[in-house]
Amino acid sequence: MAFLELKNVSKGFGEGAKRVSVLKDIDLCVEEGEFVVILGFSGTGKTTLISLIAGLLAADQGEILLKGKPIVEPGPDRGVIFQNYALLPWLTVYGNVALAVNYLFRDWPEEKRRQHIEKYIEMVHLTPATLKRPAELSGGMRQRVSVARTLAMNPEILLMDEPLSALDALTRGTLQGEIEKIWEENRKTVVLITNDIDEAILLADRIIPLKPEAEGASLGPAFDVRLPRPRDKDNFNHDAEYRRLRTEITRYFLELQSLRRVEQTAETIVLPELKPVSLAG
């Protein structure tokens, strides 16, 4: 039995002639402790998919199972991190993380809760900013608060919907490394949504394309990422396996763009520049 399983899941919006099918016949199995990245064009239903797994939306067809039990509503067993961090502006970093911890673990002694909160603030390197409010933090620091708060909930699975896409390149690169490190330490099951191929290769055990279809997006063939961890993207260009995998995935999406005649201005995926390289080892 898979840890997370989606069976024949479909979802659309609207009624009658105005109905739009977003996802069609999605089948997905994720093993416990696996880091799966769903990679796709903007506007193909990636956020809808993560919202279904989170229990924020109900599927029109099929079922979604976590540890064999149907997902029918949101729950603390699923920690969700969206692109736009939702922090309470009047609370400090500590207060925002404590809000979730005090609610979920209200039976814990106060000292245990305090240590738990501080542990996750330290994990995302925000201890010096513990007493600062969101307005005093950079975008990257605010997203770190969201990560700390979600991890402190001790969810069984982490669901991340393009959590780094709004950040500058330097901050994004820093947080990518921290997400990988946190995952290595905790071995939580993770489903990450992104449109960045390099980010997917850096973090994933398995990359699964979400491909647009006229009757709703479906999942394409999975790409296994066999690069050893920890991964250093600064050395990727010297790694033949990375170059092979990046080239294979990029070509797959270029073919999709060609077949679907996707408008670059409407639907984009971050395709790395393909340079002539030798893949012969």
Side-chain angles (χ1 to χ4, degrees):
M1 180 180 67
F3 187 76
L4 172 69
E5 189 171 7
L6 283 72
K7 297 180 179 180
N8 197 36
V9 171
S10 297
K11 180 65 180 177
F13 298 96
E15 300 292 338
K18 295 183 178 180
R19 181 168 178 78
V20 176
S21 181
V22 178
L23 299 172
K24 180 69 173 177
D25 298 333
I26 298 291
D27 290 305
L28 174 65
C29 289
V30 179
E31 300 302 325
E32 186 170 9
E34 188 178 17
F35 199 129
V36 170
V37 171
I38 306 296
L39 180 66
F41 300 108
S42 298
T44 52
K46 299 193 302 297
T47 295
T48 299
L49 178 60
I50 214 78
S51 297
L52 287 168
I53 300 172
L56 299 170
L57 294 175
D60 298 331
Q61 172 186 304
E63 60 179 346
I64 306 172
L65 306 173
L66 183 63
K67 297 172 65 176
K69 297 180 180 180
I71 292 175
V72 295
E73 61 184 356
D77 53 357
R78 281 149 286 143
V80 188
I81 303 172
F82 288 106
Q83 175 180 342
N84 298 317
Y85 28 78
L87 303 179
L88 296 180
W90 59 88
L91 293 180
T92 63
V93 169
Y94 185 95
N96 271 281
V97 178
L99 192 67
V101 171
N102 291 337
Y103 175 75
L104 291 173
F105 308 113
R106 60 177 72 90
D107 295 335
W108 286 7
E110 182 178 350
E111 179 62 17
K112 183 177 180 179
R113 278 184 276 129
R114 183 189 64 78
Q115 291 177 0
H116 187 78
I117 294 163
E118 291 177 350
K119 170 187 173 182
Y120 286 97
I121 291 175
E122 181 180 4
M123 186 178 288
V124 296
H125 308 296
L126 281 177
T127 300
T130 296
L131 299 180
K132 290 186 176 181
R133 289 176 171 77
E136 303 174 84
L137 306 175
S138 67
M141 294 171 76
R142 284 188 287 245
Q143 192 60 288
R144 290 184 196 197
V145 179
S146 295
V147 171
R149 181 178 59 190
T150 302
L151 288 172
M153 295 166 61
N154 280 345
E156 296 189 53
I157 184 169
L158 283 174
L159 307 172
M160 296 190 281
D161 182 16
E162 300 194 75
L164 309 181
S165 61
L167 306 178
D168 63 86
L170 180 60
T171 303
R172 183 170 185 159
T174 299
L175 280 177
Q176 285 168 349
E178 290 183 2
I179 286 173
E180 184 189 18
K181 182 179 178 182
I182 290 168
W183 176 80
E184 283 280 6
E185 292 175 354
N186 291 264
R187 286 290 173 172
K188 297 285 186 184
T189 307
V190 176
V191 177
L192 169 69
I193 300 289
T194 187
N195 68 343
D196 187 324
I197 289 177
D198 282 333
E199 181 170 277
I201 295 175
L202 177 69
L203 297 172
D205 292 320
R206 192 158 48 110
I207 298 169
I208 305 175
L210 187 62
K211 56 180 182 177
E213 303 276 2
E215 297 182 354
S218 61
L219 295 179
F223 296 88
D224 291 327
V225 184
R226 298 187 177 91
L227 294 166
R229 297 183 186 270
R231 296 171 186 163
D232 182 0
K233 65 180 180 180
D234 291 335
N235 293 322
F236 270 179
N237 286 329
H238 304 292
D239 190 302
E241 172 60 18
Y242 162 74
R243 297 198 305 268
R244 181 202 65 77
L245 182 60
R246 185 182 69 165
T247 300
E248 188 176 343
I249 296 173
T250 301
R251 285 176 177 161
Y252 176 84
F253 278 102
L254 286 173
E255 288 174 6
L256 281 183
Q257 285 181 322
S258 177
L259 289 171
R260 298 286 302 169
R261 296 182 180 179
V262 178
E263 296 281 346
Q264 273 306 112
T265 55
E267 298 189 34
T268 59
I269 189 167
V270 181
L271 297 172
E273 180 183 359
L274 287 179
K275 299 179 181 179
V277 293
S278 171
L279 303 179

